[in-house]
């Protein structure tokens, strides 16, 4: 901090600290001299010793502050909300590690300011759009996105920080608290019935059309970097490769640094596929023997795409689907089409595992009971996958996964016992072992 001050200011700061030092020293000496042979003297001696320790602590702190490199001083303070994104901690999940004999590590992405790993994606997409002069901060432009929640929340947060508006289109069957949070962040929320991607009113398609409609009036007048017009920007998280780049340039390098490259396997689910592709591509280029695994919820076609190169799920068969979209209570992962972001992982994924809804629900309850971790549905899927891989590889290995978000935005669905029971799931008050993973 002192490196950013002028020499004169430095001298004033140091002089003030030394003044406190000498004042406290003088006071202690005078008081001690007045009662050196009495009970008061003993009290003052103790008081003087405490002051001496305090002065020593102040002096040490000041010395450390003066000697701290400027780059480290700057890292102590983050610049705005964007500065809070990334550099999330890695946690060893004790119960899972102890039970499997492996170190199961999870990157705590729920500690991003918007509460999920999608903060990285939102920041990357907005930065890219600004760099390409598609968006100009503060000019009244609106960011449009189709999302089941987390990306929309992250975009709404960053939109406020950069002076934009946010228009979020989402299925009407997602957890209620997601739309409530979006509205509190100032976003316009449009809910639609879940339909196939081939339908023009599917939530992603509708968000794209809304962006195109928004920009028409301003496009007629033209725009320039000198006189930028407000625009409707479709973020397009599924196809926008700024998603992949966010994880290739931040999440992957952070994992490598935190583990010092000592990773045997990485495992996670995929929605847009950007996280899986970005992290895997980065780490595999540096850890030759690393294994990468996809974990996929019920109804998603990605499992079969990785295993058999066929985008198909048996639950898509006529009359078999129980719920809309993919056939799962899990939100945020699972899809039935191949996105540009997921395609970036081609040749990098070694195998895939299916995770049932029951396994995901039980894992979430197990981690609350054993570790005090309150996680969301996609995080639970990841942890089931991590245990599967640990059992397959055997004790002594290190497996890394992500805790994408917490359970706070899943209260009305994934953490709603009544809702889960209606879906035919067995909801237990306490899950105290891992026997539910088959």
């Amino acid at each position: 901090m002192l490196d950013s001050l002028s020499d004169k200011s430095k001298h004033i700061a140091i002089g003030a600290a030394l003044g406190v030092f000498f004042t406290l020293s003088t006071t202690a000496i005078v008081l001690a001299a007045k009662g050196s042979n009495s009970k008061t003297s003993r009290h003052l001696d103790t008081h003087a010793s405490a002051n001496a320790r305090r002065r020593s602590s102040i002096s040490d702190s000041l010395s450390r502050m003066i000697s701290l490199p400027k780059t480290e001083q700057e890292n102590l303070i983050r610049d705005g909300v964007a500065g809070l994104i990334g550099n999330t901690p890695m946690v060893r999940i004790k119960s899972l590690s102890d039970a499997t004999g492996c170190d199961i590590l999870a990157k705590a992405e729920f500690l991003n300011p918007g509460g999920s790993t999608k903060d990285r994606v939102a920041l990357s997409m907005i930065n890219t759009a600004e760099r390409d002069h598609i968006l100009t901060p503060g000019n009244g432009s609106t960011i449009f996105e189709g999302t089941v929640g987390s990306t929309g929340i992250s975009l709404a947060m960053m939109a406020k920080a950069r002076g934009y508006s946010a228009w979020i289109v989402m299925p009407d069957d997602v957890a209620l608290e997601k739309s409530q949070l979006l509205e509190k962040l100032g976003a316009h929320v449009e809910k639609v019935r879940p339909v196939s991607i081939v339908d023009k009113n599917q939530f992603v398609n509708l968000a794209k059309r809304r962006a195109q409609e928004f920009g028409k009036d301003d496009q007629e007048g033209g725009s320039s970097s000198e006189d930028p017009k407000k625009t409707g920007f479709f973020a397009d998280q599924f196809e926008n490769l700024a998603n992949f780049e966010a994880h290739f340039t931040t999440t992957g390098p952070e994992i490598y640094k935190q583990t010092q490259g000592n990773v045997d396997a990485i495992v996670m689910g995929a929605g847009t596929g950007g996280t899986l592709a970005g992290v895997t591509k980065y780490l595999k280029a540096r850890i030759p023997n690393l294994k990468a695994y996809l974990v996929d919820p019920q109804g998603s076609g990605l499992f079969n795409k990785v295993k058999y190169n066929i985008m198909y799920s048996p639950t898509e068969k006529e009359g078999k689907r129980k719920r809309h979209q993919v056939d799962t209570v899990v939100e945020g992962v699972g899809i039935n089409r191949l996105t540009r972001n997921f395609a970036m992982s081609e040749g990098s994924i070694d195998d895939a595992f299916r995770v049932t809804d029951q396994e995901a629900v039980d894992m979430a309850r197990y981690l609350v009971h054993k570790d005090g971790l309150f996680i969301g549905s996609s995080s639970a899927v990841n942890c089931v996958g991590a245990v599967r891989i640990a059992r397959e590889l055997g004790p002594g290995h290190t497996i890394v996964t992500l805790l994408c978000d917490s359970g706070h935005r899943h209260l009305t669905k994934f953490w709603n016992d009544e809702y889960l029971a209606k879906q035919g799931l067995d909801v237990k008050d306490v899950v105290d072992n891992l026997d539910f993973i088959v």
Side-chain angles (χ1 to χ4, degrees), residues 109-132:
E109 289 293 281
F110 63 87
L111 293 178
N112 279 301
S116 81
T117 190
K118 295 298 185 179
D119 284 5
R120 299 176 188 266
V121 178
L123 179 60
S124 180
M125 292 191 298
I126 291 174
N127 282 344
T128 301
E130 290 177 349
R131 183 194 64 205
D132 295 342

Side-chain angles (χ1 to χ4, degrees), residues 99-116:
T100 61
C102 290
D103 279 331
I104 295 183
L105 311 179
K107 196 152 174 59
E109 289 293 281
F110 63 87
L111 293 178
N112 279 301
S116 81

Side-chain angles (χ1 to χ4, degrees), residues 68 200 353 424:
L68 194 65
K200 67 177 183 179
F353 294 87

